[in-house]
Amino acid sequence: MSTRRTALVTGGGSGIGRAISLRLAENGFATAVLDLNGDAAEQVAEQARGKGYEAVALGGVDVSDRDQVNDAVTRVRKTLGPALVLVNNAGITGYKRFLNISDELWDRMLAINLSGPFYLCQAVVPDMIEAGWGRIVNISSSSAQGGQQYMTHYVASKAGLVGLTKALALEFGPAGITVNTIPPGFVDTPMLRMSEERGLLGGSVDQHAERTPVRRPGRPEDIAAACAFLVSDDAGYITGQVIGVNGGRNT
Ligand code: NAD
């Protein structure tokens, strides 16, 4: 990569987003680590800076709030330059029998997992158009491919993200912007361990690993590696795609 570029990673304070932030910083991107959890975002940015990379934290930003998103993107533009790489990774999960999903739960899930990426994309795409280059990676979920019981609101939000990805790819391909989605499956993060502790996985992480073709849970770094490729110049002919990183659990 010849020029320094700026990457914005949402939910960058934990799990998959943390690994993506550190990997993109390592690959030479000036990296903005956005997270609702300010301490977590600062720790990740600090870790990257400790290795000599350029990174800033955008803590306390809620992706479901359009004003906060616009303000954060403006801050990135001022401190690091326009974000030409966007990774929409922030998300929440939830388990509820379908008939017990309240309007509030449904709205909150959609607001964070789908409206958040919508706001972020609208905020960064004008800069990408001006640059004639951009990369967007949306972190969806393998559950959007195969479904998942008791997670209708989550699965619907992630399936919506797949649709957002495909439609944006068509509209902005001519502008030099690629848009892809990685639907992770079974990645060992705080989110997964919380689900295990609450008995919501239908077995332990180890039992799931035994049923996974590559015989291990995914690592956040597995997702980060795929993401690093998708935001590279080499991936310029890949757009509108669903790139599964799941150890063969979904094919
Ligand atoms: P995680 O809980 O470890 O990290 C999520 C991060 O997002 C946290 O730091 C959290 O503070 C942040 N966040 C949550 N709500 C936010 C908001 N409103 N605004 C800003 N930041 C917010 O989760 P993870 O496992 O690393 O998951 C990352 C993404 O990958 C999520 O979108 C998740 O749905 C998806 N995913 C994960 C798995 C898995 O196996 N871990 C599987 C499928 C999909």
Side-chain angles (χ1 to χ4, degrees):
M1 199 172 68
S2 54
T3 51
R4 165 191 169 284
R5 288 177 175 140
T6 296
L8 170 55
V9 182
T10 73
S14 174
I16 292 170
R18 175 178 177 277
I20 292 171
S21 298
L22 294 172
R23 175 66 191 262
L24 296 189
E26 185 184 329
N27 282 14
F29 290 93
T31 303
V33 184
L34 183 155
D35 206 291
L36 191 56
N37 183 333
D39 290 342
E42 189 48 57
Q43 273 175 21
V44 172
E46 184 57 43
Q47 190 177 343
R49 286 194 297 265
K51 291 182 173 173
Y53 310 135
E54 196 175 359
V56 298
L58 297 167
V61 180
D62 185 343
V63 296
S64 68
D65 183 314
R66 186 190 275 280
D67 290 340
Q68 290 187 31
V69 165
N70 286 342
D71 177 60
V73 168
T74 301
R75 273 191 282 155
V76 173
R77 199 181 291 115
K78 283 182 184 155
T79 51
L80 300 179
L84 300 186
V85 169
L86 168 66
V87 182
N88 278 311
N89 162 81
I92 56 168
T93 187
Y95 295 82
K96 211 61 158 175
R97 286 178 187 275
F98 177 65
L99 293 178
N100 295 338
I101 297 174
S102 64
D103 290 355
E104 289 72 24
L105 276 181
W106 177 268
D107 289 346
R108 181 161 180 268
M109 187 66 78
L110 272 286
I112 295 172
N113 289 3
L114 187 55
S115 299
F118 164 58
Y119 301 147
L120 263 302
C121 288
Q122 283 199 330
V124 301
V125 160
D127 284 334
M128 294 178 177
I129 291 172
E130 196 178 327
W133 192 95
R135 296 279 186 268
I136 298 173
V137 178
N138 295 318
I139 306 300
S140 53
S141 167
S142 61
S143 66
Q145 298 170 290
Q148 188 73 43
Q149 64 182 354
Y150 311 138
M151 295 184 81
T152 308
H153 48 344
Y154 177 80
V155 174
S157 72
K158 293 298 191 178
L161 199 49
V162 174
L164 180 89
T165 301
K166 294 188 176 201
L168 281 182
L170 298 186
E171 186 167 343
F172 293 109
I177 302 167
T178 68
V179 191
N180 292 288
T181 181
I182 300 173
F186 188 48
V187 181
D188 201 348
T189 68
M191 185 186 272
L192 188 77
R193 291 293 170 177
M194 189 189 71
S195 301
E196 181 187 39
E197 269 168 37
R198 292 169 62 196
L200 299 169
L201 280 189
S204 67
V205 168
D206 285 348
Q207 286 167 335
H208 275 282
E210 281 166 26
R211 293 199 292 269
T212 299
V214 304
R215 295 291 189 274
R216 66 169 175 84
R219 302 180 188 110
E221 291 73 19
D222 294 320
I223 309 300
C227 188
F229 175 64
L230 288 174
V231 304
S232 70
D233 281 320
D234 281 347
Y237 203 55
I238 301 174
T239 195
Q241 301 303 310
V242 180
I243 310 288
V245 181
N246 55 41
R249 291 166 63 88
N250 300 75
T251 56

